Amino acid sequence: MDAQGRGRAENIDPADQWVLNPNTGEYELRLSPSAPQSAVPGPRRSGSGPGGGTAGAARGRTAAPDRQSSSTGEAPDAEVPSPRRRRGVPAEEPAANRRGRRPVKKKSKAKKVLLWTGGIMAFVLVGTAGAAYLYLEHLNDNITSVSDDGASTGGFSKDKAINLLVIGTDKRTGSGNEGYGDANSVGHADTTILLHVSKDRTNATALSIPRDLIVNVPDCQTEQADGSTKVIKGSDNVRFNTSLGQDERTPSCTVRTVTALTGIQADNFMVADFNAVKTLTTAVGGVDVCLAKDIDDEDSHLKLSKGTHTIEGEQALAFVRTRHSVGFGGDLSRIALQQQFLSALMRKLKSNDTLTSPTKMIKLAEAGTKALTVDSQLDSIDKLKDLGLELGKLNVKNLTFTTVPVVDNPAEKVKATVVVNKSTAPTVFQMIKDDVSFTEVKEQAAASKNAAAAAAAARLKGTQSAASAVRVQVMNGGAPAGSAQETLNWLQNDEGVTKSENAGNAPAVLSRTTLEYAPDQADQARKLAAVMGLPGTALKPGKSVENSQGLPTMTLTLGKDFKGAGVSLTAPTAVPDTVQKSTADKVECAK
């Protein structure tokens, strides 16, 4: 139970009331000498909306201490208050004769804790000892969630790569934000980052999506307040930031727009407004940033001299909002500044100064859960904690920041918007989809992955037969209808693979195209791989089948990744030189 629920003054910081119990080795909430001591604060009511709000007065009761004294002379056990139910959920009847019990002590997970935030993105999680773990239940009431409307995958998995869409809006909420953003904004997607974390958790890519990028916003099925659904009509050739807020579009519409743009479907999303960067940078004790020149921006209210500064609160918000005083003065320059800020913030959050400070972690948890709006698949502290533990495995040196490659909109005389760079953007999108690291990862988990890649690449090395000697049957295992015949015509008429035939539909749908062959057909497999642009991972040593003439033949099964006859399926392994990128471990000064 928080301080307000015990009649304490409202301005008492709950973080200052947690102290180390030398008998248990856990942090406990200590209030007044007369108040019963509990290992976890009880629930509090929050009136937060997107981006957090002002917490209402807490209402709760203190459970009577267990009257059975311990033979060891320890203090009586205090009953742990039950989690507060959400609004609209019927109250549960308490179990008969239910007694409080001391929380089971957990092994410390401090090193696995990760807070992720910046500009108008926010993420806070706590995963420390037993008392702090129970404290997570106290934070549930702070969380605001909205429906994902079926736009996401349904939630991240611990055994798969993670795609998290973080959306920062320009909507003004709370006091002190009158000088930022559009006073009449309904909350557009002002800053959007698609965070991809690799399956093996050795690396991650944070892809910024410019707000002024011209995209097609698809139709969006949206859940209404009364439980009904409404399809919000999409728009073609509009700014990306209108995927949220415009025409009552919800975050799920932004998720659908990102999927249409990149081909990558988010597992979860988070939304935050201006208050997030202010409260979270203050909670962490400020973030160190570097400037290569003096900045005095009247629009963002940022005034800093050249050199290194520690910023928090209002000044931190001004830093990530400024654009006229950096780079070319546009949104792309501001994105670069925000990425530098995020890198600095990650270094601060992963430092021992933050991770080993219970006071800071509690303040971050309180501020972060109020600053977030999350999707309906990520609406509890337990789910956020699990996601945080997965993200916490990442080393900042392998976190790459980049931006969707763009060029000026050729349809405009006065350049105000940008369009996708069709020569480089597809490579960036494909590398993320294929879980390819943007940095050179030199860790044990990556070594195992690289060994598998080396084995696959070895299958492509060696002699190749003539195209006329290749015998293959083509099957459709998930590609668009007609793909098998299209490929067959192309192989026979354009590539000289005349001993090929259409074998119809495969017995199962495959996500990726495969070529199965017997050991004595390896030279044929290498030739067909070269013709079609198949990666080594597509080659599957196995057995041959008989074709219509009763001769041994390979089996080419076109999967969902098939892009058309003659289109290479070999995934890119390196970022194009023209794509700008930076890693979170590097200290850079804004220019």
Side-chain angles (χ1 to χ4, degrees):
M1 182 173 298
D2 63 16
Q4 297 177 36
R6 295 178 184 264
R8 303 277 293 187
E10 292 187 2
N11 61 352
I12 291 179
D13 189 339
D16 296 333
Q17 303 173 57
W18 283 74
V19 298
L20 180 67
N21 184 333
N23 295 322
T24 64
E26 298 178 351
Y27 285 88
E28 298 180 352
L29 185 64
R30 297 295 175 86
L31 301 172
S32 65
S34 60
Q37 303 303 313
S38 171
V40 58
R44 66 185 293 170
R45 181 181 297 274
S46 171
S48 61
T54 303
R59 293 186 298 177
R61 60 182 182 276
T62 304
D66 191 337
R67 298 186 184 279
Q68 277 189 324
S69 60
S70 169
S71 60
T72 62
E74 294 181 359
D77 291 352
E79 184 175 347
V80 177
S82 60
R84 187 181 188 89
R85 62 185 175 87
R86 294 182 179 276
R87 290 182 183 132
V89 178
E92 295 180 355
E93 292 296 331
N97 299 323
R98 185 171 182 176
R99 303 174 66 90
R101 63 182 62 185
R102 182 160 301 161
V104 178
K105 188 172 182 179
K106 305 289 184 180
K107 292 183 179 180
S108 175
K109 296 181 180 179
K111 292 296 183 181
K112 295 183 178 180
V113 175
L114 173 70
L115 175 145
W116 175 277
T117 183
I120 37 187
M121 62 183 290
F123 184 66
V124 174
L125 288 167
V126 175
T128 54
Y133 176 80
L134 291 177
Y135 174 66
L136 296 174
E137 295 300 324
H138 161 69
L139 303 175
N140 270 319
D141 276 352
N142 288 348
I143 300 173
T144 300
S145 67
V146 295
S147 175
D148 74 340
D149 298 313
S152 69
T153 63
F156 77 95
S157 298
K158 295 182 179 180
D159 59 346
K160 296 180 180 179
I162 298 174
N163 292 306
L164 176 66
L165 189 67
V166 186
I167 308 168
T169 78
D170 57 1
K171 186 175 183 179
R172 294 181 180 177
T173 61
S175 61
N177 293 322
E178 294 79 7
Y180 301 99
D182 181 358
N184 301 313
S185 176
V186 292
H188 293 118
D190 194 60
T191 298
T192 305
I193 295 180
L194 177 63
L195 174 65
H196 171 84
V197 183
S198 68
K199 180 179 179 180
D200 61 12
R201 307 297 187 253
T202 63
N203 65 91
T205 302
L207 179 69
S208 294
I209 303 175
R211 68 176 187 181
D212 296 327
L213 175 64
I214 296 300
V215 298
N216 294 333
V217 178
D219 293 346
C220 181
Q221 180 173 298
T222 307
E223 181 179 325
Q224 304 298 296
D226 60 1
S228 63
T229 58
K230 173 184 177 181
V231 176
I232 300 176
K233 188 173 178 57
S235 303
D236 291 341
N237 297 317
V238 295
R239 278 180 166 87
F240 175 83
N241 67 342
T242 62
S243 65
L244 176 65
Q246 196 82 6
D247 301 324
E248 299 183 341
R249 294 187 179 117
T250 64
S252 66
C253 297
T254 303
V255 173
R256 296 183 195 277
T257 303
V258 171
T259 301
L261 171 68
T262 66
I264 303 166
Q265 187 177 21
D267 300 306
N268 297 100
F269 65 76
M270 296 178 176
V271 185
D273 65 10
F274 292 147
N275 289 313
V277 67
K278 293 166 61 175
T279 58
L280 292 168
T281 53
T282 299
V284 79
V287 175
D288 296 333
V289 296
C290 180
L291 296 177
K293 63 180 181 180
D294 296 343
I295 290 183
D296 188 356
D297 189 344
E298 294 182 357
D299 292 328
S300 68
H301 316 299
L302 179 67
K303 186 174 183 179
L304 287 175
S305 61
K306 176 182 177 181
T308 301
H309 301 269
T310 301
I311 59 175
E312 62 179 75
E314 199 75 35
Q315 197 173 44
L317 177 57
F319 184 87
V320 298
R321 290 292 299 166
T322 192
R323 57 172 174 157
H324 299 302
S325 299
V326 293
F328 295 104
D331 187 52
L332 295 179
S333 297
R334 185 176 66 168
I335 287 176
L337 189 72
Q338 291 172 347
Q339 291 175 348
Q340 293 169 18
F341 175 84
L342 285 170
S343 296
L345 181 58
M346 288 297 296
R347 292 192 295 271
K348 178 65 175 290
L349 295 171
K350 295 285 283 185
S351 68
N352 288 335
D353 181 55
T354 299
L355 292 179
T356 60
S357 171
T359 298
K360 284 186 178 180
M361 294 308 298
I362 292 169
K363 286 181 178 180
L364 288 169
E366 290 284 349
T369 50
K370 292 176 183 176
L372 287 176
T373 294
V374 298
D375 69 82
S376 48
Q377 307 297 329
L378 201 62
D379 61 353
S380 74
I381 288 297
D382 281 343
K383 295 176 182 178
L384 287 171
K385 174 180 66 66
D386 288 343
L387 176 59
L389 294 178
E390 292 302 307
L391 300 180
K393 299 173 183 177
L394 178 67
N395 190 318
V396 293
K397 71 178 181 180
N398 296 325
L399 168 59
T400 303
F401 288 94
T402 190
T403 305
V404 173
V406 296
V407 295
D408 288 334
N409 189 346
E412 296 176 336
K413 292 183 178 180
V414 178
K415 304 304 180 184
T417 62
V418 292
V419 296
V420 168
N421 186 332
K422 295 183 179 179
S423 66
T424 53
T427 299
V428 172
F429 299 155
Q430 193 64 48
M431 287 181 67
I432 294 176
K433 285 193 287 186
D434 291 338
D435 201 21
V436 178
S437 176
F438 280 46
T439 59
E440 184 179 359
V441 181
K442 297 179 179 179
E443 297 184 12
Q444 186 173 359
S448 176
K449 183 177 180 179
N450 291 337
R459 297 175 194 141
L460 299 174
K461 297 178 180 179
T463 59
Q464 299 180 10
S465 68
S468 59
V470 174
R471 288 192 298 272
V472 61
Q473 65 172 14
V474 183
M475 304 184 75
N476 192 327
S483 293
Q485 188 60 45
E486 175 193 0
T487 301
L488 181 67
N489 294 339
W490 174 73
L491 287 173
Q492 292 181 344
N493 299 329
D494 297 348
E495 299 299 328
V497 185
T498 55
K499 297 176 182 177
S500 51
E501 61 184 31
N502 188 342
N505 291 327
V509 174
L510 302 180
S511 59
R512 297 184 180 276
T513 297
T514 62
L515 175 63
E516 185 175 4
Y517 57 96
D520 61 351
Q521 296 172 316
D523 57 342
Q524 296 182 46
R526 287 190 285 268
K527 178 61 178 179
L528 189 61
V531 169
M532 295 194 62
L534 298 178
T537 53
L539 273 59
K540 304 294 181 185
K543 60 183 180 180
S544 63
V545 296
E546 291 186 354
N547 62 13
S548 56
Q549 285 79 42
L551 298 174
T553 185
M554 302 183 295
T555 301
L556 173 67
T557 305
L558 306 178
K560 290 182 178 180
D561 63 337
F562 181 74
K563 300 179 177 65
V567 180
S568 175
L569 290 177
T570 299
T573 57
V575 184
D577 293 337
T578 55
V579 175
Q580 294 184 342
K581 61 187 181 74
S582 61
T583 52
D585 63 321
K586 300 291 182 10
V587 177
E588 297 188 23
C589 295
K591 299 178 181 180

